[in-house]
Amino acid sequence: MDAGLLQLPPLRFLTCGSVDDGKSTLIGRLLHDSRLIPEDTLAALARDSRRHGTTGGEVDLALLVDGLEEERQQGITIDVAYRHFRTSQRGFVVADAPGHEQYTRNMATGASNSDLAVVLIDARKGVLPQTRRHAHICSLLGIRHVVAAVNKMDLAGFAQEAFERAAGDFLRFAAPLGFQTVVPVPISARFGDNVVARSANMRWHRGATLIEHLETAEVGPEGERPFRFPVQWVNRPDADFRGLSGTVASGRVAEGDRVVVAASGRAGLVSRIVTADGDLSAAAAGDAVTLVLEGDLDVARGDLLCPPDRRPAVADQFAARVLWMDEEPLLPGRQYLMRMGALWTPCSVTAIKHRIDVDTLDERPARSLDLNAIGFCNLSTARPVPFDPYAENRATGAFILVDRFTDRTAGAGTVAFPLRRAANIHREDALVDKAARVALTGQKPFILWFTGLSGSGKSTVAKLAERRLNRAGRLTYLLDGDNVRHGLNRDLGFTDADRVENIRRVGEVAKMFVDAGLVVLCAFISPFRAERRAVRELVEAGEFLEVFMDTPLAECMRRDPKGLYAKARAGAIPNFTGLDSPYEPPEAPEITLRTEGTAPEAQVEALLERLKALGHPI
Amino acid sequence: MVNAKAASSPHLKRLEAEAIGIMREAVAAFRSPVMLYSVGKDSGVMLHIARKAFYPARLPFPLLHVDTGWKFREMIAFRDRIAAEHGLDLIVHVNKDGVRRGIDPFASGSALYTQVMKTEALKQALDAHGFDAAFGGARRDEEKSRAKERVFSFRAAGHGWDPRNQRPELWGLYNTRLRPGESFRVFPLSNWTERDVWDYVLAEGVPVVPLYLARPRPVVRRGGTWIMVDDERLPLAPGEAPETRSVRFRTLGCYPLSGATESRAETLEAVVAEMRDARTSERQGRLIDSDEEAAMERKKREGYF
């Protein structure tokens, strides 16, 4: 008897595989055989099959699910379709993902909303590049359960060897992908063998039919997850009630539990778990509830509640896999909007460590990510955000990136790990601050940031300028590219990503020295505008003075004080700024020094002259 | 409220929680949302869940009913009773221009009628009140072109739906960014089936219009279905006379366009039992969908819900 009340939550699964491996036919078959196709729809289907069908007049079940006019005419599926059916045991939501390579993003969309994937394999063709690509995307998006449906067994004579060959190929290929279960089933979607009804043509198959497996599949995460609750909406109908509405993302919370706001670290007790059907004593993952906390804790939409002893990382730098979904490529340094949980924040990719070739899983170098590319990236957010690695928690380790100019959803990402352990460190408020130090020394601290090509005279002028400042009674410190790379930054090379990190560290040190009350001179090629701007934004307005050493490349190469240009041109130094790595000149530097044909001492005079004009008389 | 928690299955609880999450998200993200209330069972379920989602606060948005002047009288009575009982902020909008032009479901044809009295009327109401998001009770299982519909469906300025310009939805991390003139349709019941809706109505005691239950009603046979003679405006052919049959409706809309099926299911339990054996689709009774192939998709592009 159909009890009508299903005891398992619906199973959300995805169908994928190469074009023409029979995805749409399989879904049509599942709907048809679970007796879910109404008569009027079947009549329409028979009519459609004569017009568009590919089965020679027979009813083409694929037409049941190929929805939009355009794709019907093209005979391909161009978007994810969600289909619903149920048996007496369970309800199902199927994401029908397209097979064409250019729609990888739709496939990923389907995978992000699914707990299990049915990968179709043509019994005659075996594992194809698309099969591999889709299995990789499933793995990258954290799907842990896979059914390898070896389809078109009717065309392979229902032969056990054909099934075992195809299934074996897939099992071998999928072994390193980290799936928890991979279950092969021989089927014929067109004729229904082993889909819902057990096949009379393949008595050698002793395992479950496809539907039996789906009805009983356990797809919950392995082990228990810590409590995570993204605050979605603050429910404040009057002065007496203040509740935090949201859906428990993982784990469990009970009345009386102590929870903390991940970002601020503030703690409170859960005094009530409110629902319209009455208060609950506890709530678990998937429950939409309203939590009331004891005391007047400052909590807003976007905050994440968690247990005090199992907190997520809180960081503004992290590494993640990013799938790019926009025609406009992803560029490091460009600002996007990131949504993670209920939190929106500006964000940029600081470095693409590598691109992942989804056919082979090989790592390849990349400077940008094109549509459908997957890259391993470092990201930086405008404020610290709470998260868990995606592998540990799908609910709190995923994010999307939105283009600020078009508002399109441009990328989707899964967090790998935080890049700084600033996570667990709380800022200490010092008793002595910059103002107190300035009162003591009587000098206004600032940064003189020298930027320009190698050989443009940065170090020379900076050193002379520091001597003049010192003689005038200023407390100074000179940070020089070469010196810093001997110590603080000796682990960094000259790739774009390392250059970005090099400047970031120097910027942080310069900021501390400014805080200490010093005049800081920094001499770095610092080729990218984005990074110089980032340092500028670290300190107060007026404390960052950019000095552009405006020397033509030809002149720098003529000077070549360290013989580097010669080496670089001989191919001994890759990524050399001005040659095979770009230099972005400042757009509005406070000070520009044209050095060609001028003695360094004269440039220092010009520099001091400008400093005076900027309110720093020496 | 009927307390029927014991009857709620894990399946229904999950669907309810998902719908609550979607509604809260829209209320948090948008400046001025509205709930489209069509008086049907899906609207009833949506309203029931909305009251749960924001409890103990009142509904943080008004309800909008796009009336055509041709709804069943019982629907209007039911609508006004529900609004009064729950103290709801209900906006009723009729396309007065369409009425003035004498647009009706007979002489104008169902396509023009739907365009003017439903599609245009909806746009008028949304624009007049400056709503930037509208909840709708549409489900993906209803109709083929809806299977690819987003939960947060983006509408460009002018309310047009471009299937190629929809935002991918991953992990329920909805991109709710909007510019002036743009809007969203939000479908909290996207993942529900007709069966789920009825199971939920039964489990939660959601009130529905009695037209869903079989009763003896005056009907005439039109286009292979039963049309109820709800008032004297339904033109009868020469010699055509209403007869009384026990019928019920699977979907409700404008009475001249809503087909009834013969049934003895006089209780909700009996309706659900009939559903299990149903071999026709829900929308079969709707005359406007069968106009032509892909009629629905075209209507959506023009801004039909």
Side-chain angles (χ1 to χ4, degrees):
Chain A
M1 174 197 134
D2 183 345
L5 297 175
L6 307 176
Q7 292 312 308
L8 283 171
L11 176 69
R12 301 190 175 196
F13 71 95
L14 164 84
T15 54
C16 53
S18 207
V19 187
D20 295 331
D21 281 358
K23 290 178 299 295
S24 295
T25 308
L26 175 65
I27 297 172
R29 169 60 63 187
L30 283 166
L31 298 176
H32 182 270
D33 286 10
S34 29
R35 295 176 52 79
L36 273 151
I37 312 298
E39 278 160 14
D40 54 319
T41 307
L42 276 180
L45 178 64
R47 212 165 48 232
D48 283 3
S49 296
R50 283 192 293 276
R51 272 173 72 177
H52 309 285
T54 56
T55 48
E58 261 181 76
V59 169
D60 184 353
L61 292 172
L63 293 180
L64 277 174
V65 293
D66 287 344
L68 301 180
E69 275 176 286
E70 186 179 3
E71 65 196 68
R72 266 213 250 184
Q73 278 152 18
Q74 290 177 16
I76 56 158
T77 317
I78 61 163
D79 205 334
V80 196
Y82 295 93
R83 293 280 155 194
H84 302 72
F85 69 98
R86 71 151 123 192
T87 66
S88 59
Q89 303 301 313
R90 201 175 203 178
F92 299 92
V93 182
V94 197
D96 181 13
H100 282 77
E101 178 181 345
Q102 64 267 42
Y103 296 107
T104 298
R105 62 174 182 182
N106 293 328
M107 144 101 213
T109 303
S112 80
N113 295 317
S114 301
D115 294 314
L116 177 149
V118 175
V119 180
L120 277 133
I121 303 161
D122 186 322
R124 302 161 304 166
K125 298 182 193 158
V127 176
L128 297 172
Q130 276 294 333
T131 326
R132 282 199 286 272
R133 171 178 283 265
H134 286 183
H136 283 148
I137 295 170
C138 287
S139 164
L140 289 171
L141 281 151
I143 288 189
R144 291 288 163 262
H145 303 275
V146 171
V147 176
V150 179
N151 191 24
K152 305 199 181 181
M153 287 299 294
D154 51 303
L155 298 177
F158 295 109
Q160 185 170 3
E161 303 77 63
F163 166 66
E164 276 167 4
R165 194 167 50 242
D169 280 357
F170 186 79
L171 285 168
R172 264 189 304 282
F173 151 74
L177 294 183
F179 297 123
Q180 227 171 295
T181 62
V182 180
V183 177
V185 185
I187 65 166
S188 164
R190 189 168 166 196
F191 296 102
D193 296 74
N194 285 341
V195 178
V196 172
R198 187 159 284 279
S199 171
N201 298 309
M202 294 181 276
R203 295 193 189 282
W204 45 263
H205 176 66
R206 300 189 193 286
T209 62
L210 180 61
I211 200 74
E212 283 166 358
H213 178 65
L214 297 178
E215 279 175 339
T216 53
E218 298 268 357
V219 292
E222 275 176 298
E224 57 94 38
R225 299 274 189 276
F227 172 62
R228 297 286 184 261
F229 187 82
V231 176
Q232 203 181 3
W233 185 68
V234 178
N235 189 337
R236 185 149 218 188
D238 52 54
D240 298 330
F241 186 90
R242 182 184 160 87
L244 308 172
S245 294
T247 301
V248 180
S250 67
R252 189 177 174 282
V253 69
E255 204 185 322
D257 277 0
R258 207 173 142 76
V259 295
V260 299
V261 180
S264 70
R266 291 195 195 89
L269 282 188
V270 176
S271 60
R272 290 178 64 194
I273 302 172
V274 177
T275 79
D277 297 312
D279 282 12
L280 305 177
S281 54
D287 292 346
V289 295
T290 297
L291 302 182
V292 179
L293 302 187
E294 214 161 78
D296 199 17
L297 220 55
D298 183 22
V299 186
R301 170 170 163 87
D303 278 329
L304 183 70
L305 302 184
C306 58
D309 55 339
R310 298 178 74 186
R311 301 189 195 197
V314 179
D316 56 6
Q317 310 261 335
F318 57 86
R321 288 178 184 83
V322 173
L323 164 66
W324 201 243
M325 314 176 100
D326 203 32
E327 306 282 347
E328 190 71 30
L330 176 149
L331 295 177
R334 177 168 292 177
Q335 206 176 57
Y336 300 95
L337 284 175
M338 186 186 78
R339 176 177 186 171
M340 191 183 258
L343 185 80
W344 286 89
T345 178
C347 150
S348 63
V349 169
T350 52
I352 301 172
K353 306 301 262 185
H354 57 258
R355 183 172 68 77
I356 300 165
D357 181 330
V358 286
D359 292 327
T360 58
L361 288 191
D362 288 345
E363 297 172 1
R364 305 197 186 280
R367 285 167 177 264
S368 64
L369 291 182
D370 292 330
L371 178 65
N372 288 317
I374 296 174
F376 193 81
C377 305
N378 290 347
L379 287 93
S380 164
T381 51
R383 56 187 271 199
V385 292
F387 57 80
D388 294 294
Y390 188 73
E392 287 170 25
N393 205 327
R394 265 178 103 171
T396 47
F399 59 91
I400 59 168
L401 297 175
V402 172
D403 186 298
R404 296 200 83 157
F405 300 99
T406 63
D407 281 344
R408 285 196 298 259
T409 302
T414 61
V415 178
F417 46 81
L419 282 175
R420 282 198 289 171
R421 288 288 172 186
N424 307 316
I425 301 163
H426 291 281
R427 211 167 275 282
E428 286 295 333
D429 281 334
L431 297 173
V432 176
D433 63 5
K434 186 164 64 180
R437 295 184 193 103
V438 167
L440 196 66
T441 61
Q443 75 173 25
K444 229 157 67 174
F446 60 91
I447 298 171
L448 266 183
W449 187 279
F450 295 83
T451 173
L453 295 168
S454 177
S456 61
K458 297 179 299 295
S459 296
T460 312
V461 175
K463 277 190 283 189
L464 290 172
E466 189 187 24
R467 190 169 66 192
R468 288 291 298 273
L469 287 163
N470 177 272
R471 284 179 182 166
R474 299 293 190 283
L475 210 48
T476 59
Y477 199 85
L478 172 62
L479 290 166
D480 182 272
D482 290 338
N483 295 346
V484 167
R485 280 183 178 277
H486 283 301
L488 179 67
N489 290 356
R490 70 176 164 210
D491 55 328
L492 299 177
F494 291 89
T495 62
D496 285 0
D498 281 357
R499 287 174 188 274
V500 169
E501 177 61 12
N502 182 42
I503 298 306
R504 189 192 68 75
R505 290 186 197 173
V506 170
E508 290 289 346
V509 172
K511 178 194 172 182
M512 282 188 211
F513 283 175
V514 165
D515 200 48
L518 307 189
V519 172
V520 194
L521 300 95
C522 301
F524 294 86
I525 297 174
S526 49
F528 305 126
R529 285 188 196 115
E531 279 62 59
R532 296 193 302 261
R533 187 170 57 226
V535 178
R536 183 187 288 273
E537 286 168 2
L538 282 176
V539 293
E540 288 173 39
E543 286 181 343
F544 181 88
L545 306 176
E546 196 170 11
V547 183
F548 177 34
M549 303 302 286
D550 189 4
T551 312
L553 178 63
E555 169 67 10
C556 294
M557 290 173 75
R558 193 192 57 75
R559 291 180 192 166
D560 201 6
K562 299 171 202 157
L564 296 176
Y565 284 100
K567 273 196 201 170
R569 291 174 84 186
I573 311 176
N575 301 321
F576 197 82
T577 301
L579 298 182
D580 56 353
S581 188
Y583 177 81
E584 301 170 359
E587 282 168 331
E590 279 76 8
I591 301 165
T592 299
L593 299 177
R594 289 191 181 79
T595 69
E596 209 174 359
T598 320
E601 290 74 13
Q603 292 165 34
V604 173
E605 291 307 324
L607 174 72
L608 296 177
E609 206 53 37
R610 279 292 294 146
L611 276 179
K612 197 168 162 186
L614 290 164
H616 297 286
I618 305 301
Chain B
M1 189 191 305
V2 177
N3 193 339
K5 265 189 285 179
S8 263
S9 67
H11 176 84
L12 287 179
K13 278 184 70 175
R14 178 62 56 87
L15 291 174
E16 182 193 74
E18 183 188 62
I20 287 176
I22 291 163
M23 290 183 189
R24 287 172 174 170
E25 184 62 30
V27 163
F30 302 122
R31 179 179 44 78
S32 178
V34 65
M35 177 170 282
L36 297 182
Y37 182 69
S38 73
V39 201
K41 62 185 189 306
D42 304 297
S43 285
V45 165
M46 193 162 61
L47 175 60
H48 185 81
I49 294 176
R51 295 179 58 238
K52 289 191 177 194
F54 304 102
Y55 175 89
R58 288 164 50 85
L59 275 198
F61 44 75
L63 268 59
L64 170 65
H65 181 222
V66 175
D67 197 354
T68 57
W70 292 93
K71 301 296 176 189
F72 290 91
R73 284 175 299 169
E74 271 188 87
M75 289 172 72
I76 302 301
F78 178 87
R79 176 195 75 191
D80 294 342
R81 178 169 73 76
I82 293 287
E85 254 175 40
H86 300 307
L88 302 173
D89 179 5
L90 173 73
I91 300 165
V92 175
H93 179 83
V94 181
N95 183 351
K96 294 198 184 68
D97 180 53
V99 174
R100 223 175 359 256
R101 282 160 59 196
I103 304 288
D104 73 32
F106 314 108
S108 319
S110 74
L112 179 66
Y113 170 75
T114 301
Q115 170 69 24
V116 174
M117 296 309 289
K118 294 175 151 182
T119 310
E120 293 299 332
L122 174 63
K123 290 190 207 173
Q124 284 171 356
L126 295 177
D127 290 344
H129 294 271
F131 295 123
D132 57 355
F135 293 105
R139 290 174 278 111
R140 283 173 176 153
D141 84 317
E142 272 179 74
E143 194 272 335
K144 238 190 278 192
S145 83
R146 286 211 164 135
K148 305 188 178 189
E149 182 57 283
R150 302 298 194 267
V151 174
F152 283 74
S153 178
F154 177 74
R155 304 300 160 106
H159 303 282
W161 177 76
D162 177 2
R164 286 211 171 260
N165 192 19
Q166 291 298 313
R167 297 171 179 175
E169 296 184 333
L170 297 100
W171 302 287
L173 295 174
Y174 302 110
N175 173 0
T176 49
R177 305 276 303 167
L178 270 187
R179 277 151 210 259
E182 297 172 345
S183 61
F184 273 95
R185 303 289 189 273
V186 183
F187 303 111
L189 306 184
S190 282
N191 288 323
W192 293 51
T193 64
E194 187 187 13
R195 201 30 218 292
D196 295 327
V197 169
W198 281 117
D199 285 347
Y200 188 81
V201 164
L202 206 55
E204 293 277 320
V206 179
V208 293
V209 188
L211 290 161
Y212 286 114
L213 306 177
R215 296 277 186 279
R217 296 188 170 97
V219 290
V220 290
R221 192 78 180 154
R222 296 268 172 94
T225 184
W226 294 105
I227 298 297
M228 182 169 161
V229 186
D230 196 47
D231 58 32
E232 70 297 336
R233 290 179 297 168
L234 187 79
L236 297 176
E240 191 183 36
E243 53 185 305
T244 300
R245 288 192 178 250
S246 179
V247 294
R248 66 175 177 87
F249 294 86
R250 270 178 90 176
T251 60
L252 292 175
C254 300
Y255 83 80
L257 298 175
S258 301
T261 50
E262 285 195 82
S263 165
R264 295 272 163 208
E266 294 178 2
T267 61
L268 282 177
E269 288 79 1
V271 168
V272 172
E274 268 193 11
M275 281 283 315
R276 278 176 210 164
D277 305 322
R279 298 292 288 144
T280 55
S281 75
E282 183 181 11
R283 300 191 76 90
Q284 193 197 22
R286 290 197 190 179
L287 300 184
I288 58 169
D289 282 355
S290 48
D291 279 356
E292 51 190 308
E293 187 182 7
M296 195 65 179
E297 190 190 334
R298 192 158 8 258
K299 284 204 267 289
K300 277 178 71 173
R301 284 182 201 246
E302 290 162 1
Y304 180 72
F305 211 78

